[in-house]
């Protein structure tokens, strides 16, 4: 190698070393995404989402009912926790219903379909009897059951339509009759219209909309052709237009969509506008729990239909987005249960319950945001009202039972159940040493089960 003039050797030219290709496993974002995807695909994901999401909604709803109803209770010369105590009692009874429904076999759920439907129709007809039915806020759809307690039978009509419709469609599918449009519509649509007629006699348009959504959800899951689905939807829309145009109150609710002033037109949009005021004044994190201003007589029905507005004012955007995320998770879990089962009854019932809760949440929140007319329906599992809470919690128990019945979920739950006993060791152990007892080891199905690549554990 030639030397330089200074007598030193020139520096050796080394080839440029290229950095090694980075493996996707080295990227923390990709690793986190992969772990989240594996956890999302586990068999018990739907089970935990339904159970945890519904319980969080109920607990947060109890807190907001207590905060939003204090002023209303004091104005009625009642204790500040009056509405909260009634809601807590309903939640305790609903917890029993949820647990019972989650432990019932599918056959028992199907056997209860006809008794629940018959009882709901009887109670809804009893509401129209003079002297028995009660009128609340202009709607004749309540029954007095003694003392301060009232019952709204139309709320149980939702559960009845889901169970009975699911059982009916499942039996027709087993006999391969759903390919004929007559068997798909009869008697599902006539019975649904009977229930809708009893509800509309009391003037409850909001509950009728929810029942119509459940009916369309069942028809969609049953595979109704587009022409048939569009025909039923057209008839329902025509009936809805006639009912809305025949009522000045319903026309006034339509005119309040997007209103920004209480007296913006010929009708008073006080409730809709003050709901927007409550949401606008909440900011990112809200004014603080219990610090709402609109609930001091400015916002009607602050603890029932417009509790979402009070939540936005006190907990801010973070609180409202949390509620939306919980309902979105609950809806996703219901769709997952309906899509992964092979039992037609489970598919129809899970889809019907998911349609019911999702549609009611969308209608309530849309009305509070000023995007939809005020339909007078509560936010499921969140607003005050025992008549709405009890059947909804029973329906949540249905979803939990269906999520537990999935074969993979059943196997995963079985591996979590411990079996008592001692495991014998091999070779030298603590039991071979005099005076020393071997440690107790539990023989569980998790330990004995072979490793699986599906991520069930």
């Amino acid at each position: 190698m030639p030397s330089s003039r200074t007598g030193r050797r020139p520096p050796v030219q080394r080839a440029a070393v290229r950095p090694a290709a980075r493996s996707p496993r080295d990227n923390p974002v990709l690793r986190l995404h992969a772990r989240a995807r594996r956890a999302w695909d586990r068999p018990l994901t739907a089970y935990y989402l339904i159970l945890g999401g519904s319980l969080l909604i109920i607990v947060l709803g109890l807190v907001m009912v207590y905060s939003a109803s204090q002023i209303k209770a004091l104005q009625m010369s009642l204790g500040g926790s009056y509405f909260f105590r009634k809601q807590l009692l309903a939640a305790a009874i609903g917890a029993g219903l949820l647990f019972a429904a989650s432990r019932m076999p599918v056959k028992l759920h199907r056997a209860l379909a006809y008794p629940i439907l018959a009882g709901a129709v009887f109670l809804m007809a009893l509401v129209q009897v003079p002297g028995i039915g009660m009128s609340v806020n202009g709607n004749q759809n309540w029954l007095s059951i003694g003392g301060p307690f009232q019952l709204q039978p139309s709320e149980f009509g939702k559960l009845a339509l889901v169970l009975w419709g699911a059982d009916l469609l499942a039996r027709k599918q087993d006999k391969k009759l759903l390919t004929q449009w007559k068997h798909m519509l009869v008697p599902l649509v006539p019975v649904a219209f009977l229930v809708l007629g009893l509800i509309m006699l009391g003037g409850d348009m909001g509950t009728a909309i929810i029942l119509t959504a459940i009916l369309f959800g069942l028809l969609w899951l049953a595979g109704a052709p587009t022409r048939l689905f569009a025909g039923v939807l057209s008839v329902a829309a025509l009936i809805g237009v006639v009912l809305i145009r025949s009522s000045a109150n319903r026309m006034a609710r339509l005119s309040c969509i997007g209103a920004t002033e209480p007296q913006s037109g010929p009708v008073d949009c006080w409730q809709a506008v003050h709901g927007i005021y409550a949401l606008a004044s909440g900011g990112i994190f809200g004014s603080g729990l219990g610090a709402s201003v609109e609930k001091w007589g400015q916002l009607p029905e602050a603890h029932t239909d417009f509790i979402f507005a009070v939540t936005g004012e006190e907990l801010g955007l973070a609180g409202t987005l949390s509620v939306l995320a919980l309902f979105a998770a609950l809806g996703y879990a219901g769709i997952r249960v309906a899509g992964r089962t092979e039992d037609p009854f489970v598919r129809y019932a899970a889809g019907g319950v998911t349609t019911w809760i999702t549609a009611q949440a969308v209608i309530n929140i849309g009305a509070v945001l000023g995007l939809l007319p005020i339909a007078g329906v509560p936010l499921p599992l969140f607003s005050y009202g025992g008549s709405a809470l009890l059947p909804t919690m029973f329906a949540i128990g249905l979803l939990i039972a269906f999520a537990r019945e999935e074969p993979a979920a059943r196997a995963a739950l079985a591996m979590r159940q411990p079996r008592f006993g001692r495991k014998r060791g091999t070779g030298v152990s603590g039991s071979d040493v005099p005076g020393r007892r071997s440690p107790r080891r539990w023989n569980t199905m998790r330990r004995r089960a072979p490793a699986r690549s599906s991520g069930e554990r």
Side-chain angles (χ1 to χ4, degrees):
M1 178 180 297
S3 59
S4 61
R5 294 181 179 179
T6 58
R8 296 181 181 180
R9 294 183 178 181
V12 179
Q13 299 293 332
R14 296 182 179 180
V17 180
R18 296 181 180 180
R22 195 171 186 180
S23 174
R25 296 182 179 181
D26 299 334
N27 192 331
V29 177
L30 294 179
R31 287 203 311 267
L32 181 62
H33 178 267
R35 292 181 60 183
R37 187 171 182 178
R38 288 196 301 267
W40 199 255
D41 290 336
R42 289 180 179 178
L44 293 177
T45 298
Y47 171 77
Y48 287 130
L49 283 178
I50 296 170
L51 180 61
S54 59
L55 291 181
L56 286 175
I57 294 174
I58 293 170
V59 171
L60 183 58
L62 287 172
V63 174
M64 293 311 304
V65 165
Y66 179 70
S67 175
S69 64
Q70 287 181 332
I71 307 304
K72 179 69 173 179
L74 295 176
Q75 290 175 348
M76 299 173 62
S77 301
L78 301 171
S81 61
Y82 173 77
F83 293 104
F84 169 75
R85 285 185 278 110
K86 291 182 63 177
Q87 186 75 355
L88 184 62
L89 176 61
I93 299 174
L97 294 176
L98 186 149
F99 180 79
S102 65
R103 294 295 176 173
M104 288 182 185
V106 175
K107 292 183 178 180
L108 184 55
H109 286 303
R110 299 188 68 168
L112 291 175
Y114 281 87
I116 292 178
L117 177 65
V121 171
F122 174 74
L123 292 177
M124 284 187 287
L126 199 62
V127 167
Q128 305 305 322
V129 178
I132 299 180
M134 297 179 58
S135 178
V136 178
N137 294 331
N139 293 336
Q140 183 78 16
N141 54 3
W142 295 85
L143 290 174
S144 178
I145 58 177
F149 298 99
Q150 300 171 353
L151 182 67
Q152 189 177 3
S154 58
E155 293 291 339
F156 294 88
K158 304 173 185 176
L159 177 64
L161 182 60
V162 168
L163 286 177
W164 178 80
D167 178 70
L168 175 68
L169 292 175
R171 287 188 288 109
K172 287 181 177 291
Q173 180 172 337
D174 292 338
K175 297 179 181 180
K176 299 181 179 179
L177 297 175
L178 291 181
T179 56
Q180 306 176 24
W181 67 270
K182 294 181 180 179
H183 287 282
M184 185 174 292
L185 295 181
V186 180
L188 177 61
V189 175
V191 173
F193 280 1
L194 171 63
V195 177
L196 288 171
L198 291 174
I199 293 175
M200 289 307 302
L201 285 177
D204 191 357
M205 187 70 178
T207 304
I209 295 175
I210 305 300
L211 281 171
T212 305
I214 294 174
L215 174 61
F216 288 147
L218 291 175
L219 291 176
W220 181 270
L221 291 170
T226 307
R227 295 179 181 178
L228 182 62
F229 195 83
V232 177
L233 181 61
S234 301
V235 172
L238 180 61
I239 295 175
V241 170
V242 173
L243 292 174
I244 291 175
R245 293 185 64 87
S246 61
S247 174
N249 184 27
R250 298 182 189 126
M251 289 296 297
R253 294 184 181 185
L254 281 176
S255 61
C256 289
I257 297 178
T260 57
E261 295 293 337
Q263 300 289 343
S264 60
V267 295
D268 189 3
C269 300
W270 181 274
Q271 186 180 26
V273 171
H274 278 273
I276 298 297
Y277 288 171
L279 291 172
S281 60
I284 302 297
F285 298 105
S287 58
L289 192 62
S292 171
V293 175
E294 292 293 332
K295 69 182 180 182
W296 286 77
Q298 301 294 326
L299 180 63
E301 307 297 336
H303 61 301
T304 54
D305 300 347
F306 272 70
I307 194 171
F308 188 76
V310 179
T311 303
E313 185 178 5
E314 295 187 351
L315 303 183
L317 182 64
T320 55
L321 290 181
S322 300
V323 174
L324 292 176
L326 289 174
F327 276 109
L330 192 59
Y332 166 80
I335 295 174
R336 176 169 171 167
V337 170
R340 293 195 173 190
T341 183
E342 298 295 335
D343 190 340
F345 173 78
V346 173
R347 180 169 62 253
Y348 296 135
V353 171
T354 305
T355 303
W356 161 17
I357 295 177
T358 305
Q360 186 165 330
V362 169
I363 291 174
N364 177 275
I365 296 175
V368 174
L369 295 176
L371 303 176
L372 295 175
I374 300 174
V377 295
L379 189 60
L381 301 174
F382 200 85
S383 297
Y384 169 79
S387 296
L389 184 63
L390 294 181
T392 309
M393 292 188 70
F394 187 90
I396 294 296
L398 280 177
L399 291 180
I400 294 175
F402 298 157
R404 290 169 57 93
E405 288 298 319
E406 291 184 12
R410 192 186 307 149
L413 287 173
M415 287 189 295
R416 295 175 180 270
Q417 298 176 0
R419 289 187 178 183
F420 296 94
R422 294 184 180 181
K423 184 176 180 180
R424 297 179 181 180
T426 58
V428 180
S429 61
S431 59
D432 298 332
V433 181
R436 181 181 299 178
R437 298 180 61 185
S438 61
R440 176 171 295 182
R441 297 180 180 179
W442 306 110
N443 292 330
T444 62
M445 294 185 66
R446 175 188 289 272
R447 183 174 290 111
R448 292 197 303 271
R452 300 181 181 180
S453 61
S454 60
E456 291 184 1
R457 291 174 292 171

